[in-house]
Amino acid sequence: MRIVRDQVTVCVPASSANLGPGFDAIGLALEIRDEITVRAITGATRVSVEGEGAGRVMKDEDNLVVQSLRLGLETVGAPQIGIEMHCLNRIPHGRGLGSSSAAIVSGLAAASALVEPGALPADKIFQLATKLEGHPDNAAPAVYGGAVVGWIEPANPRDPQQAGESRAFALPFPIHSEVKVTVLIPDFQLATSKARGLLPEFVPHRDAVFTAGRAALLPLALSAHPELLFYATQDRLHQEYRREGMPASLELVDYLRAQNYPAAVSGAGPTVIVFSHLPVALRQGLEHKGWRVLSPAVAGTGIITS
């Protein structure tokens, strides 16, 4: 497999996963994009970072985008190259907006753009990204854009214990024109690993049944019945268990829902997503308390390459 381009630019959107009850399964791409420019060079890898994470993320072979790019090249049997990379990061890190998925998908997409066309298609990028992430809810919208339901099947669905490669799947669904999004981003981070560590091994059956019903309703509310989004964003599976890790976020969800706003934790948090635009006074009040308030459009496209 040959390297056919010596420079590429890739843009990948942020994503909000779970959206309340769609735990590890439902995700939404948002028009907040990271942009990376990669140039093939001779010599050691050099990375520069502008925006989110500048001064904190790795600038060598340990950079997550670089590691993902190298995985992509390895997957298609292309030669490893020296890399000069500039990252313009707009997706906040550690806030539940899919920054790690965006980094992984960016690296894989850059590898795809550097090699012969068709060698590393979007579906293969999605498979690799899901394997690295462990679940498809952020990877799918980062790759494909829009709203997506994702899941993982074992190699043999009739015998999940049988050895073999599992496969990830993703199905898009439309977003109703009346659906608006606001994200409320705090000034603190919460590692996904810590958020997952707060989850119990078992939940009451009644809570599982309740959340399954709301998860089934969520794509219908987003695509055709936005008036039902308040109900469709209810969750009893994960959010309350994570309260001690992000009390301010859950207090804000409680406050907004008490005013009939369809609010939920974005991904593992601590960002809060609201399926509504907020009044100016409310936005200003939240900004005064330290929340960054953004109203991104739903990103209809995932990977953009030039």
Side-chain angles (χ1 to χ4, degrees):
M1 180 60 60
R2 297 181 300 119
I3 301 290
V4 298
R5 298 176 66 182
D6 61 5
Q7 181 169 315
V8 297
T9 297
V10 174
C11 292
V12 174
S15 54
S16 180
N18 302 335
L19 310 180
F23 185 70
D24 279 2
I26 299 178
L28 183 68
L30 301 174
E31 279 295 353
I32 307 169
R33 289 182 179 268
D34 283 354
E35 178 180 320
I36 68 159
T37 298
V38 175
R39 189 164 69 92
I41 61 171
T42 58
T45 291
R46 303 192 298 269
V47 179
S48 59
V49 180
E50 179 182 355
E52 300 285 343
R56 297 189 301 275
V57 301
M58 304 301 292
K59 296 183 178 181
D60 53 20
E61 290 290 334
D62 291 327
N63 182 281
L64 183 57
V65 183
V66 173
Q67 292 178 339
S68 302
L69 192 157
R70 296 220 176 276
L71 173 63
L73 295 177
E74 178 184 349
T75 298
V76 300
Q80 297 293 340
I81 55 174
I83 296 169
E84 182 179 78
M85 183 170 69
H86 178 70
C87 301
L88 175 55
N89 293 338
R90 300 184 180 95
I91 304 172
H93 290 190
R95 303 300 206 284
L97 288 169
S99 61
S100 62
S101 282
I104 291 167
V105 171
S106 292
L108 293 169
S112 175
L114 287 168
V115 301
E116 296 173 28
L120 190 60
D123 182 62
K124 185 61 177 177
I125 291 173
F126 170 57
Q127 298 297 325
L128 292 169
T130 299
K131 187 173 182 179
L132 290 173
E133 281 279 273
H135 38 85
D137 52 347
N138 287 111
V143 173
Y144 302 115
V148 186
V149 177
W151 71 100
I152 299 174
E153 288 285 356
N156 183 350
R158 296 186 177 182
D159 183 6
Q161 303 304 315
Q162 183 174 319
E165 282 290 316
S166 61
R167 179 173 174 79
F169 293 84
L171 284 177
F173 59 91
I175 295 291
H176 195 282
S177 61
E178 293 182 6
V179 172
K180 309 300 180 185
V181 175
T182 300
V183 289
L184 309 171
I185 306 167
D187 59 1
F188 60 90
Q189 298 183 358
L190 177 65
T192 300
S193 57
K194 180 178 179 180
R196 286 190 173 271
L198 296 171
L199 299 178
E201 185 175 358
F202 303 101
V203 298
H205 184 267
R206 64 182 179 277
D207 290 343
V209 170
F210 177 93
T211 305
R214 296 307 190 272
L217 177 61
L218 183 55
L220 296 174
L222 286 168
S223 61
H225 298 281
E227 73 278 6
L228 297 178
L229 276 167
F230 182 84
Y231 306 103
T233 50
Q234 291 175 309
D235 164 74
R236 294 183 185 174
L237 190 64
H238 67 102
Q239 291 186 155
E240 189 59 36
Y241 296 105
R242 290 169 160 168
R243 184 177 291 270
E244 70 175 81
M246 46 180 167
S249 299
L250 269 299
E251 288 171 7
L252 180 55
V253 169
D254 293 343
Y255 172 78
L256 291 168
R257 294 190 69 86
Q259 298 186 62
N260 295 317
Y261 288 105
V265 173
S266 178
T271 290
V272 172
I273 184 168
V274 190
F275 287 105
S276 174
H277 284 170
L278 302 181
V280 173
L282 179 53
R283 290 174 64 99
Q284 292 177 341
L286 291 170
E287 289 170 345
H288 181 72
K289 293 179 179 179
W291 295 85
R292 191 181 350 165
V293 183
L294 301 178
S295 298
V298 174
T301 303
I303 299 166
I304 298 175
T305 305
S306 58

